[in-house]
Amino acid sequence: MSENVIGYMDDQGKIIDTQSAGENCNAAPIEYDNSEEALEIIRHSTAHLMAQAIKELYPDAQFFVGPVVDEGFYYDFRVSEKIGEEDLKKIEKKMKELIKKKYKIEKYEISKSEALEKFAHDDLKQAVLKNIPDEKVSIYRQGDFEDLCRGPHVPALRFLNNFKLTRVAGAYLGGDENAEMLTRIYGVAFATKEALKAYITMLEEAKKRDHRKIGTEMELFMFNEESGAGLPFWMPQGAKLRYKLEQILHRAHLTRGYEPVRGPEILKADMWRTSGHYACYGENMYLTEIDEQEYGIKPMNCIGHIQIFKQTQKSYRDLPLRYYEYGVVHRHEKSGVLHGLLRVREFTQDDAHIFCTPEQIASEVLDVVSFVDSVMKLFGFEYTMEIATKPEKAIGDDAVWEMATRGLKEALEGNNLPYTIDEGGGAFYGPKIDIKITDAIGRKWQCGTIQVDFNLPERFDVEYVAEDNSRKRPVMLHRAILGSFERFIGILTEHYAGEFPFFLAPTQVIFVPISDSHVDYAFALKKKLRMEGIDAEVYDKNDSLNKRIRTAEKKRVPYVVIVGDEEVANNTVAIRNRRTRQQYNLTQDEFMVELTKQLTEGTI
RNA sequence: GCCCAUAUGGCUCAGGGGUAGAGCACUUCCUUGGUAAGGAAGAGGUCGUGAGUUCAAGUCUCACUAUGGGCUCCA
């Protein structure tokens, strides 16, 4: 057996550790490196090493489970002492001490009943054992530390040199909200020091891109303790950015045959009773009383659109009818889930409801999917689609759910669009396709969504007149492309690290006049750009030229334009293009052409 | 909502039982400079809020609020 082999992979892709493999293993060896298989073994063993260290530092610790996850590993355990971020260093230090003892990691098997007896005084291990169907269970031992575990593990602690404990968290026992909360410590481990270092660098990069940090720096948005949690304020720079995004999307909706509408912010509670929101979503709604009548602030925009549809009699000739609204909604999210712009209590959805016949569902869904695709392409986002099926808390017949879910699957399959299934993840009124995009730190966020709804048309008795003059029930599709402006702008900010493309940038051009005599020229140019709908500023503060160029650059404005004697004399501009990091000179006319071209790049 | 942590001028942060510091930003003045920090002066905080301990509290304790990392839940 080679010194560097830490396990084997069998034909089925199952990892077998050296402890289980025996002397003459024919399976493919797994070398000690940063491959996916090797990291799985290394991380699992590092989790055990961490547990051993915790046990030495906190002798009363009891351990639950310590699996490998995408980003590393964690271990859940119970201790009487409080453990904070400060304590991670202490635990890391103890782990390193343990490595120096050169323990081998040994495995032995006992029967389940023996195990139940062995861990008789450990209710967490009893809980783990209860979930294991096998009659035999394995125990891994390193030094005097033993843990119930199915493996795989590295042969000895000497393979565990490059790790870092990243955070302490609380986690519910078994993921159950009503269960006890255990302490969880997350960590990462790699085969090489370089890989660990690269990972730490990546985390730091991600931190620099954090939209909350950039949002403060660029003065895009703010929160205010006195006003309440999860309620964002848009500062001028952020509002300009948001307005541009709204305009781009507004044009895109019009060209795709959507009609703008707008419903009220609060509606009588009876409306929400009819819709089912009161029963199914009530705990997330803000309710209020006006003139002894109960009202609910809207958490969704569907009801308003339905009322507008019903206002006039509709014909089959009107379908599909697509209503869209930048709908402001309020949802009482739990305080602990709020997160910058990505999870707030008031947000604006780019919401639309398409009223159509069942036969039109497939083509409408496809239209939306293609709309989504062009928006994602505009910003260069990777995304995945997921079909979410009937949840526990739901309204409507199973047969109807079945039909709607099949409709979504057929629309995607018929066009070879890949998707995954989220079992039980649907809205209470219908199944949906969720569009998830990946942010700079690799987190996935649900943004766009397409939902089929047979229930609300029924509940609100929505009808149209069919060809044969009979009354028929339309289907409703709920859909959003961005999801919400708040979340999408948060993700965009991290995606671009604040260096928004020209057509979105809050300030697009900043003029830096070299001295007082060039200020008029700069203001004349600014006015010219403003006439073309371009946000331009003049930076004529009493600071040195270098200082002003530096400050302008740091504002992440796409074009910093210097104007001095030469430019005034020749009607030119000296450009610093922050996106391409180039410097060049253009005539005013050439400059206008370049800017106009960049503006139109935001058309979809 | 739950677990842990944090909360000092606009921003980033230092201080740590005896009545607040730095850098940037801001204001005024000098400087009018050709591509990432010219110089000088000045204003601004009672240390998230409320209780408690103490002769004395940003500094210790508790509660609340907000924020951060997770869990559970979601656009």
Side-chain angles (χ1 to χ4, degrees), chain A residues 77-107:
Chain A
F77 56 98
R78 181 199 288 144
V79 265
S80 54
E81 273 183 74
K82 281 183 178 179
I83 296 188
E85 302 275 340
E86 299 273 299
D87 300 310
L88 293 183
K89 284 199 186 76
K90 199 167 72 188
I91 298 169
E92 279 179 356
K93 201 173 151 208
K94 179 60 85 178
M95 289 166 73
K96 283 175 183 154
E97 280 172 33
L98 289 167
I99 293 171
K100 289 202 184 113
K101 298 197 174 166
K102 302 195 168 152
Y103 292 130
K104 279 195 160 37
I105 302 179
E106 296 158 313
K107 174 186 180 179

mmCIF file of all heavy atoms in Angstrom, chain A residues 77-107:
data_model
loop_
_atom_site.group_PDB
_atom_site.id
_atom_site.type_symbol
_atom_site.label_atom_id
_atom_site.label_comp_id
_atom_site.label_asym_id
_atom_site.label_seq_id
_atom_site.Cartn_x
_atom_site.Cartn_y
_atom_site.Cartn_z
ATOM 1 N N PHE A 77 -22.997 19.267 18.253
ATOM 2 C CA PHE A 77 -22.791 18.688 19.575
ATOM 3 C C PHE A 77 -23.466 19.528 20.652
ATOM 4 O O PHE A 77 -23.912 20.646 20.399
ATOM 5 C CB PHE A 77 -21.293 18.549 19.856
ATOM 6 C CG PHE A 77 -20.524 19.837 19.737
ATOM 7 C CD1 PHE A 77 -20.230 20.582 20.886
ATOM 8 C CD2 PHE A 77 -20.091 20.314 18.508
ATOM 9 C CE1 PHE A 77 -19.522 21.771 20.797
ATOM 10 C CE2 PHE A 77 -19.400 21.514 18.410
ATOM 11 C CZ PHE A 77 -19.111 22.239 19.552
ATOM 12 N N ARG A 78 -23.518 18.951 21.847
ATOM 13 C CA ARG A 78 -24.146 19.635 22.977
ATOM 14 C C ARG A 78 -23.096 19.852 24.049
ATOM 15 O O ARG A 78 -22.359 18.928 24.377
ATOM 16 C CB ARG A 78 -25.280 18.765 23.533
ATOM 17 C CG ARG A 78 -26.018 19.396 24.715
ATOM 18 C CD ARG A 78 -26.773 18.333 25.483
ATOM 19 N NE ARG A 78 -27.937 17.853 24.766
ATOM 20 C CZ ARG A 78 -28.369 16.594 24.793
ATOM 21 N NH1 ARG A 78 -27.707 15.697 25.488
ATOM 22 N NH2 ARG A 78 -29.437 16.230 24.119
ATOM 23 N N VAL A 79 -22.959 21.080 24.528
ATOM 24 C CA VAL A 79 -22.059 21.386 25.646
ATOM 25 C C VAL A 79 -22.779 22.303 26.624
ATOM 26 O O VAL A 79 -23.668 23.051 26.226
ATOM 27 C CB VAL A 79 -20.784 22.148 25.232
ATOM 28 C CG1 VAL A 79 -19.631 21.216 24.994
ATOM 29 C CG2 VAL A 79 -21.032 23.055 24.069
ATOM 30 N N SER A 80 -22.336 22.273 27.871
ATOM 31 C CA SER A 80 -22.961 23.156 28.856
ATOM 32 C C SER A 80 -22.390 24.566 28.725
ATOM 33 O O SER A 80 -23.087 25.543 28.935
ATOM 34 C CB SER A 80 -22.734 22.617 30.263
ATOM 35 O OG SER A 80 -21.354 22.403 30.469
ATOM 36 N N GLU A 81 -21.101 24.671 28.323
ATOM 37 C CA GLU A 81 -20.495 25.994 28.165
ATOM 38 C C GLU A 81 -20.922 26.642 26.857
ATOM 39 O O GLU A 81 -21.258 25.961 25.901
ATOM 40 C CB GLU A 81 -18.963 25.852 28.133
ATOM 41 C CG GLU A 81 -18.322 25.874 29.502
ATOM 42 C CD GLU A 81 -16.813 25.802 29.392
ATOM 43 O OE1 GLU A 81 -16.211 26.810 29.007
ATOM 44 O OE2 GLU A 81 -16.245 24.723 29.662
ATOM 45 N N LYS A 82 -20.872 27.972 26.841
ATOM 46 C CA LYS A 82 -21.129 28.686 25.587
ATOM 47 C C LYS A 82 -19.855 28.690 24.753
ATOM 48 O O LYS A 82 -18.778 28.949 25.276
ATOM 49 C CB LYS A 82 -21.523 30.135 25.877
ATOM 50 C CG LYS A 82 -22.962 30.272 26.317
ATOM 51 C CD LYS A 82 -23.335 31.724 26.511
ATOM 52 C CE LYS A 82 -24.803 31.834 26.913
ATOM 53 N NZ LYS A 82 -25.208 33.225 27.132
ATOM 54 N N ILE A 83 -19.995 28.423 23.489
ATOM 55 C CA ILE A 83 -18.829 28.464 22.615
ATOM 56 C C ILE A 83 -19.026 29.590 21.610
ATOM 57 O O ILE A 83 -20.048 29.662 20.938
ATOM 58 C CB ILE A 83 -18.632 27.116 21.894
ATOM 59 C CG1 ILE A 83 -18.333 26.034 22.932
ATOM 60 C CG2 ILE A 83 -17.510 27.208 20.872
ATOM 61 C CD1 ILE A 83 -17.936 24.705 22.364
ATOM 62 N N GLY A 84 -18.048 30.489 21.530
ATOM 63 C CA GLY A 84 -18.120 31.610 20.591
ATOM 64 C C GLY A 84 -16.989 31.536 19.594
ATOM 65 O O GLY A 84 -16.144 30.634 19.659
ATOM 66 N N GLU A 85 -16.972 32.501 18.656
ATOM 67 C CA GLU A 85 -15.939 32.534 17.615
ATOM 68 C C GLU A 85 -14.533 32.487 18.222
ATOM 69 O O GLU A 85 -13.623 31.890 17.677
ATOM 70 C CB GLU A 85 -16.071 33.817 16.775
ATOM 71 C CG GLU A 85 -17.419 34.013 16.104
ATOM 72 C CD GLU A 85 -17.540 33.301 14.768
ATOM 73 O OE1 GLU A 85 -16.484 32.981 14.188
ATOM 74 O OE2 GLU A 85 -18.671 33.056 14.324
ATOM 75 N N GLU A 86 -14.392 33.158 19.382
ATOM 76 C CA GLU A 86 -13.097 33.233 20.067
ATOM 77 C C GLU A 86 -12.535 31.850 20.363
ATOM 78 O O GLU A 86 -11.324 31.640 20.339
ATOM 79 C CB GLU A 86 -13.258 33.981 21.395
ATOM 80 C CG GLU A 86 -13.740 35.399 21.249
ATOM 81 C CD GLU A 86 -12.593 36.360 21.038
ATOM 82 O OE1 GLU A 86 -11.742 36.442 21.924
ATOM 83 O OE2 GLU A 86 -12.564 37.001 19.967
ATOM 84 N N ASP A 87 -13.441 30.931 20.657
ATOM 85 C CA ASP A 87 -13.009 29.607 21.097
ATOM 86 C C ASP A 87 -12.495 28.735 19.953
ATOM 87 O O ASP A 87 -11.857 27.716 20.192
ATOM 88 C CB ASP A 87 -14.174 28.897 21.802
ATOM 89 C CG ASP A 87 -14.637 29.687 23.013
ATOM 90 O OD1 ASP A 87 -13.783 30.058 23.833
ATOM 91 O OD2 ASP A 87 -15.846 29.961 23.131
ATOM 92 N N LEU A 88 -12.777 29.149 18.715
ATOM 93 C CA LEU A 88 -12.362 28.330 17.572
ATOM 94 C C LEU A 88 -10.844 28.166 17.542
ATOM 95 O O LEU A 88 -10.334 27.089 17.267
ATOM 96 C CB LEU A 88 -12.846 28.948 16.264
ATOM 97 C CG LEU A 88 -14.363 28.949 16.068
ATOM 98 C CD1 LEU A 88 -14.718 29.512 14.694
ATOM 99 C CD2 LEU A 88 -14.941 27.554 16.208
ATOM 100 N N LYS A 89 -10.125 29.254 17.854
ATOM 101 C CA LYS A 89 -8.653 29.198 17.844
ATOM 102 C C LYS A 89 -8.147 28.183 18.850
ATOM 103 O O LYS A 89 -7.209 27.443 18.577
ATOM 104 C CB LYS A 89 -8.083 30.591 18.166
ATOM 105 C CG LYS A 89 -8.183 31.543 16.998
ATOM 106 C CD LYS A 89 -7.229 32.718 17.158
ATOM 107 C CE LYS A 89 -7.458 33.732 16.055
ATOM 108 N NZ LYS A 89 -8.683 34.543 16.302
ATOM 109 N N LYS A 90 -8.801 28.170 20.003
ATOM 110 C CA LYS A 90 -8.429 27.246 21.066
ATOM 111 C C LYS A 90 -8.604 25.808 20.585
ATOM 112 O O LYS A 90 -7.752 24.950 20.811
ATOM 113 C CB LYS A 90 -9.347 27.535 22.258
ATOM 114 C CG LYS A 90 -8.864 27.039 23.581
ATOM 115 C CD LYS A 90 -9.689 27.651 24.716
ATOM 116 C CE LYS A 90 -11.084 27.074 24.780
ATOM 117 N NZ LYS A 90 -11.958 27.778 25.747
ATOM 118 N N ILE A 91 -9.717 25.579 19.904
ATOM 119 C CA ILE A 91 -10.004 24.226 19.418
ATOM 120 C C ILE A 91 -9.018 23.837 18.316
ATOM 121 O O ILE A 91 -8.484 22.726 18.304
ATOM 122 C CB ILE A 91 -11.466 24.126 18.922
ATOM 123 C CG1 ILE A 91 -12.425 24.407 20.082
ATOM 124 C CG2 ILE A 91 -11.747 22.756 18.325
ATOM 125 C CD1 ILE A 91 -13.870 24.599 19.677
ATOM 126 N N GLU A 92 -8.741 24.793 17.426
ATOM 127 C CA GLU A 92 -7.759 24.516 16.362
ATOM 128 C C GLU A 92 -6.405 24.136 16.969
ATOM 129 O O GLU A 92 -5.740 23.218 16.495
ATOM 130 C CB GLU A 92 -7.578 25.762 15.472
ATOM 131 C CG GLU A 92 -8.664 25.921 14.419
ATOM 132 C CD GLU A 92 -8.471 27.169 13.564
ATOM 133 O OE1 GLU A 92 -7.543 27.956 13.837
ATOM 134 O OE2 GLU A 92 -9.273 27.367 12.626
ATOM 135 N N LYS A 93 -6.021 24.861 18.000
ATOM 136 C CA LYS A 93 -4.731 24.620 18.637
ATOM 137 C C LYS A 93 -4.696 23.199 19.211
ATOM 138 O O LYS A 93 -3.717 22.477 19.033
ATOM 139 C CB LYS A 93 -4.521 25.651 19.755
ATOM 140 C CG LYS A 93 -3.082 25.838 20.149
ATOM 141 C CD LYS A 93 -2.928 26.983 21.143
ATOM 142 C CE LYS A 93 -1.722 26.721 22.041
ATOM 143 N NZ LYS A 93 -1.862 27.345 23.353
ATOM 144 N N LYS A 94 -5.771 22.838 19.855
ATOM 145 C CA LYS A 94 -5.840 21.491 20.441
ATOM 146 C C LYS A 94 -5.798 20.434 19.345
ATOM 147 O O LYS A 94 -5.156 19.393 19.491
ATOM 148 C CB LYS A 94 -7.135 21.373 21.273
ATOM 149 C CG LYS A 94 -7.361 20.025 21.921
ATOM 150 C CD LYS A 94 -6.255 19.635 22.873
ATOM 151 C CE LYS A 94 -6.450 20.196 24.273
ATOM 152 N NZ LYS A 94 -5.372 19.753 25.216
ATOM 153 N N MET A 95 -6.439 20.714 18.207
ATOM 154 C CA MET A 95 -6.406 19.763 17.086
ATOM 155 C C MET A 95 -4.971 19.537 16.629
ATOM 156 O O MET A 95 -4.557 18.411 16.362
ATOM 157 C CB MET A 95 -7.265 20.279 15.918
ATOM 158 C CG MET A 95 -8.774 20.231 16.217
ATOM 159 S SD MET A 95 -9.749 21.186 15.030
ATOM 160 C CE MET A 95 -9.666 20.138 13.574
ATOM 161 N N LYS A 96 -4.218 20.632 16.555
ATOM 162 C CA LYS A 96 -2.823 20.511 16.104
ATOM 163 C C LYS A 96 -1.991 19.720 17.105
ATOM 164 O O LYS A 96 -1.100 18.959 16.714
ATOM 165 C CB LYS A 96 -2.237 21.902 15.856
ATOM 166 C CG LYS A 96 -2.749 22.452 14.529
ATOM 167 C CD LYS A 96 -2.341 23.861 14.224
ATOM 168 C CE LYS A 96 -2.998 24.282 12.891
ATOM 169 N NZ LYS A 96 -3.181 25.720 12.796
ATOM 170 N N GLU A 97 -2.289 19.895 18.380
ATOM 171 C CA GLU A 97 -1.586 19.109 19.401
ATOM 172 C C GLU A 97 -1.860 17.623 19.213
ATOM 173 O O GLU A 97 -0.966 16.798 19.322
ATOM 174 C CB GLU A 97 -2.071 19.510 20.796
ATOM 175 C CG GLU A 97 -1.456 20.780 21.323
ATOM 176 C CD GLU A 97 -2.142 21.218 22.620
ATOM 177 O OE1 GLU A 97 -2.572 20.337 23.406
ATOM 178 O OE2 GLU A 97 -2.272 22.437 22.814
ATOM 179 N N LEU A 98 -3.118 17.320 18.916
ATOM 180 C CA LEU A 98 -3.504 15.915 18.759
ATOM 181 C C LEU A 98 -2.805 15.282 17.557
ATOM 182 O O LEU A 98 -2.410 14.117 17.609
ATOM 183 C CB LEU A 98 -5.023 15.798 18.615
ATOM 184 C CG LEU A 98 -5.813 16.093 19.895
ATOM 185 C CD1 LEU A 98 -7.287 16.273 19.596
ATOM 186 C CD2 LEU A 98 -5.604 14.975 20.918
ATOM 187 N N ILE A 99 -2.658 16.074 16.484
ATOM 188 C CA ILE A 99 -1.990 15.545 15.297
ATOM 189 C C ILE A 99 -0.566 15.113 15.652
ATOM 190 O O ILE A 99 -0.085 14.081 15.198
ATOM 191 C CB ILE A 99 -1.959 16.606 14.170
ATOM 192 C CG1 ILE A 99 -3.378 16.870 13.677
ATOM 193 C CG2 ILE A 99 -1.092 16.126 13.013
ATOM 194 C CD1 ILE A 99 -3.476 18.048 12.734
ATOM 195 N N LYS A 100 0.073 15.906 16.511
ATOM 196 C CA LYS A 100 1.458 15.601 16.900
ATOM 197 C C LYS A 100 1.573 14.261 17.618
ATOM 198 O O LYS A 100 2.640 13.684 17.699
ATOM 199 C CB LYS A 100 1.995 16.721 17.791
ATOM 200 C CG LYS A 100 2.244 18.012 17.018
ATOM 201 C CD LYS A 100 3.239 18.901 17.720
ATOM 202 C CE LYS A 100 3.393 20.223 16.969
ATOM 203 N NZ LYS A 100 2.868 21.359 17.760
ATOM 204 N N LYS A 101 0.476 13.779 18.168
ATOM 205 C CA LYS A 101 0.536 12.494 18.869
ATOM 206 C C LYS A 101 0.525 11.325 17.899
ATOM 207 O O LYS A 101 0.580 10.169 18.310
ATOM 208 C CB LYS A 101 -0.633 12.387 19.851
ATOM 209 C CG LYS A 101 -0.551 13.477 20.907
ATOM 210 C CD LYS A 101 -1.417 13.182 22.108
ATOM 211 C CE LYS A 101 -1.173 14.241 23.173
ATOM 212 N NZ LYS A 101 -2.180 14.230 24.229
ATOM 213 N N LYS A 102 0.404 11.626 16.595
ATOM 214 C CA LYS A 102 0.555 10.605 15.549
ATOM 215 C C LYS A 102 -0.387 9.413 15.710
ATOM 216 O O LYS A 102 -0.002 8.273 15.468
ATOM 217 C CB LYS A 102 2.005 10.128 15.499
ATOM 218 C CG LYS A 102 2.952 11.284 15.239
ATOM 219 C CD LYS A 102 4.313 10.827 14.825
ATOM 220 C CE LYS A 102 5.086 12.025 14.293
ATOM 221 N NZ LYS A 102 6.502 11.963 14.432
ATOM 222 N N TYR A 103 -1.614 9.679 16.137
ATOM 223 C CA TYR A 103 -2.564 8.576 16.272
ATOM 224 C C TYR A 103 -2.908 7.993 14.912
ATOM 225 O O TYR A 103 -3.037 8.703 13.924
ATOM 226 C CB TYR A 103 -3.876 9.071 16.894
ATOM 227 C CG TYR A 103 -3.761 9.493 18.324
ATOM 228 C CD1 TYR A 103 -4.272 10.721 18.741
ATOM 229 C CD2 TYR A 103 -3.171 8.656 19.267
ATOM 230 C CE1 TYR A 103 -4.191 11.109 20.066
ATOM 231 C CE2 TYR A 103 -3.079 9.044 20.602
ATOM 232 C CZ TYR A 103 -3.596 10.277 20.991
ATOM 233 O OH TYR A 103 -3.511 10.670 22.290
ATOM 234 N N LYS A 104 -3.089 6.686 14.903
ATOM 235 C CA LYS A 104 -3.680 6.035 13.745
ATOM 236 C C LYS A 104 -5.191 6.092 13.940
ATOM 237 O O LYS A 104 -5.676 6.212 15.064
ATOM 238 C CB LYS A 104 -3.241 4.561 13.700
ATOM 239 C CG LYS A 104 -1.867 4.343 13.113
ATOM 240 C CD LYS A 104 -1.701 2.872 12.768
ATOM 241 C CE LYS A 104 -0.611 2.601 11.755
ATOM 242 N NZ LYS A 104 0.581 3.421 11.842
ATOM 243 N N ILE A 105 -5.925 6.004 12.845
ATOM 244 C CA ILE A 105 -7.370 5.927 12.979
ATOM 245 C C ILE A 105 -7.785 4.496 12.730
ATOM 246 O O ILE A 105 -7.548 3.937 11.650
ATOM 247 C CB ILE A 105 -8.077 6.880 11.979
ATOM 248 C CG1 ILE A 105 -7.608 8.313 12.210
ATOM 249 C CG2 ILE A 105 -9.594 6.762 12.134
ATOM 250 C CD1 ILE A 105 -8.223 9.335 11.264
ATOM 251 N N GLU A 106 -8.337 3.850 13.771
ATOM 252 C CA GLU A 106 -8.676 2.428 13.670
ATOM 253 C C GLU A 106 -10.181 2.240 13.666
ATOM 254 O O GLU A 106 -10.919 3.049 14.226
ATOM 255 C CB GLU A 106 -8.070 1.673 14.861
ATOM 256 C CG GLU A 106 -6.556 1.722 14.848
ATOM 257 C CD GLU A 106 -5.972 1.467 16.230
ATOM 258 O OE1 GLU A 106 -6.432 2.063 17.218
ATOM 259 O OE2 GLU A 106 -5.053 0.636 16.300
ATOM 260 N N LYS A 107 -10.576 1.138 13.039
ATOM 261 C CA LYS A 107 -12.008 0.861 12.927
ATOM 262 C C LYS A 107 -12.315 -0.515 13.507
ATOM 263 O O LYS A 107 -11.525 -1.435 13.343
ATOM 264 C CB LYS A 107 -12.378 0.876 11.442
ATOM 265 C CG LYS A 107 -13.805 0.452 11.148
ATOM 266 C CD LYS A 107 -14.021 0.358 9.642
ATOM 267 C CE LYS A 107 -15.467 -0.066 9.356
ATOM 268 N NZ LYS A 107 -15.736 -0.154 7.907
#
